[in-house]
Amino acid sequence: MSDPHDRALGALLGLAVGDALGMPTQSLSRSAIAERYGVVDRLLDGADDQPIAPKLPAGTVTDDTEQALLLARILLDHDGRVPPRAFASVLEEWEQDMIRRGSLDLLGPSTRRALTRLADGEPPEIAGRDGVTNGAAMRVAPVGIAYAGPRLLDAVVESAVVTHHTAPGIAAAAAVAAAVSAGVSGAGLPAALDAALDAARAGARRGGWAAGADVAARLDVAFRVLPGLGRAALADTLVAVVGTSVTATESVVAALGLAAALGDDPRAALVTAASLGGDTDTVAAICGAVLGAVHGAAALPADLVGTVRRVNAPLLDPLDDVVEGLLHLRSTS
């Protein structure tokens, strides 16, 4: 069994590798990806016409990894808490830095709308009242490292409430955090996915109603149906039936369903995610975070990990210290 540090590090490295693999294909259709790249089985530059990440060097991570590490820093700086206004301020500063860098990868629609409301004086508890996208889920892996047991769901809600205070937003984030937390505790893939399903059910009761499907119900179907499909049928079903948009009920279900189907082969799972189209960087990042937590950092593709760590060195160099800090919170919470 991998040790907790290796599994926690695996969660953050898996997130970063999936994010970087999906960077050049995000917002493209599956057919456009196939025509231009074939199967995305390698790290690629962002093309000049990439809608969100033009001209980024191969291996560069995007908002998924950057916001996850921002959340980790908030947790470490505030003894495991996520003060809404402090987190909002950090996210605003991050977006301004992205603008200075010339990036088009800015805050998602739910987060931007919520932070604008917060700045206009709305209470944090209602600012995220219509956040149904995947922003809370894509960044939540550090919460899964820092917490286990009964405190986990409360911590997920605290990390999500200001931007995604809806049943689907919190359910999706809870599912990802619970799978990561179970992996860090030593659970295998089936147990981690069971934890995700239970957390999605509980998380939905902590957010406001929003029209749309239920995250837990969709996960339940995905976990039962997707593992029985061949690779081509799996991709077809993920794109046409599950969906890969930024909506939490699609992309998060796709990511965890892909982990259920191909979780014994992290490279295959991440390559498939990056080739699907839609919100590929987030689907691959969430899938990578869960599989990294379950299998440990040593099970991730070493060539991809090495390149991603080198390309994003200033951002990823402190990962071991971040992991130690989050595990310390876990041991004292």
Side-chain angles (χ1 to χ4, degrees):
M1 181 188 298
S2 302
D3 64 58
H5 182 97
D6 184 58
R7 287 173 175 253
L9 181 62
L12 297 182
L13 285 176
L15 179 117
V17 168
D19 186 11
L21 263 179
M23 174 272 291
T25 57
Q26 60 184 313
S27 297
L28 301 180
S29 69
R30 184 182 174 200
S31 59
I33 293 167
E35 181 178 352
R36 177 172 291 191
Y37 301 118
V39 175
V40 184
D41 56 1
R42 60 216 179 276
L43 297 166
L44 299 163
D45 293 328
D48 290 352
D49 60 350
Q50 215 299 319
I52 298 175
K55 303 180 180 179
L56 285 184
T60 304
V61 299
T62 74
D63 59 332
D64 301 79
T65 305
E66 295 204 10
Q67 288 193 31
L69 293 179
L70 288 179
L71 177 55
R73 181 50 55 192
I74 287 286
L75 287 165
L76 295 176
D77 288 347
H78 295 273
D79 295 322
R81 302 299 305 276
V82 185
R85 294 189 185 280
F87 192 31
S89 177
V90 167
L91 288 171
E92 291 275 16
E93 291 171 3
W94 172 83
E95 183 176 57
Q96 291 305 309
D97 182 55
M98 295 294 277
I99 291 170
R100 285 191 292 272
R101 287 189 257 165
S103 174
L104 301 177
D105 210 348
L106 306 178
L107 294 172
S110 296
T111 300
R112 166 46 48 211
R113 189 162 53 243
L115 295 191
T116 298
R117 290 169 177 163
L118 199 63
D120 290 341
E122 289 197 13
E125 295 76 17
I126 65 172
R129 61 186 175 272
D130 49 11
V132 297
T133 52
N134 56 29
M138 78 178 190
R139 67 189 183 221
V140 80
V143 176
I145 298 171
Y147 286 93
R151 291 285 309 279
L152 176 63
L153 183 56
D154 288 340
V156 170
V157 172
E158 190 172 50
S159 76
V161 65
V162 72
T163 57
H164 294 80
H165 197 184
T166 65
I170 292 176
V176 176
V180 168
S181 184
V184 172
S185 290
L189 184 59
L193 296 178
D194 285 346
L197 187 55
D198 289 343
R201 293 186 179 117
R205 296 192 289 270
R206 301 290 294 273
W209 179 85
D214 177 70
V215 171
R218 286 173 61 81
L219 283 174
D220 184 42
V221 174
F223 292 167
R224 287 187 284 110
V225 172
L226 296 180
L229 301 178
R231 292 283 289 275
L234 172 63
D236 289 343
T237 304
L238 285 166
V239 171
V241 180
V242 177
T244 58
S245 76
V246 298
T247 305
T249 52
E250 291 193 4
S251 48
V252 177
V253 175
L256 294 176
L258 194 50
L262 296 175
D264 291 335
D265 187 346
R267 183 187 290 270
L270 296 180
V271 164
T272 302
S275 305
L276 289 174
D279 200 3
T280 49
D281 58 328
T282 296
V283 173
I286 291 173
C287 184
V290 171
L291 296 184
V294 167
H295 296 299
L300 296 171
D303 55 328
L304 303 183
V305 170
T307 299
V308 170
R309 294 202 78 156
R310 174 178 55 79
V311 171
N312 304 280
L315 180 69
L316 300 184
D317 280 351
L319 274 192
D320 284 292
D321 290 339
V322 169
V323 165
E324 283 300 314
L326 293 174
L327 290 175
H328 176 72
L329 289 174
R330 187 184 188 92
S331 70
T332 57
S333 63

